[in-house]
Amino acid sequence: MPAKVDVSMCVGCGVCVNECLLGAISLNDEIASVDETLCTECGACIDACPSGAISLK
Ligand code: SF4
């Protein structure tokens, strides 16, 4: 499963956008959005997110 963002937890900091080496994450209306066609489930964004808003569930 590609990375999923819990929109209720995301604060729009953008850390994950910079952390994703594949450019799979962008901010839409200050909420992180994952492009599931680009995500390789590496987990880098999960470790980087200060809010714990991203998971691979
Ligand atoms: Fe949202 Fe976490 Fe990404 Fe920050 S790092 S934009 S809180 S998902």
Side-chain angles (χ1 to χ4, degrees):
M1 294 284 289
K4 295 286 186 187
V5 177
D6 184 332
V7 298
S8 69
M9 297 176 70
C10 176
V11 297
C13 68
V15 169
C16 57
V17 175
N18 295 322
E19 195 68 23
C20 181
L21 299 177
L22 297 167
I25 310 180
S26 57
L27 290 182
N28 290 325
D29 293 331
E30 299 187 359
I31 299 293
S33 175
V34 178
D35 183 334
E36 297 186 356
T37 66
L38 295 177
C39 177
T40 61
E41 307 175 29
C42 75
C45 56
I46 296 172
D47 294 335
C49 177
S51 301
I54 311 178
S55 68
L56 287 175
K57 292 179 183 172

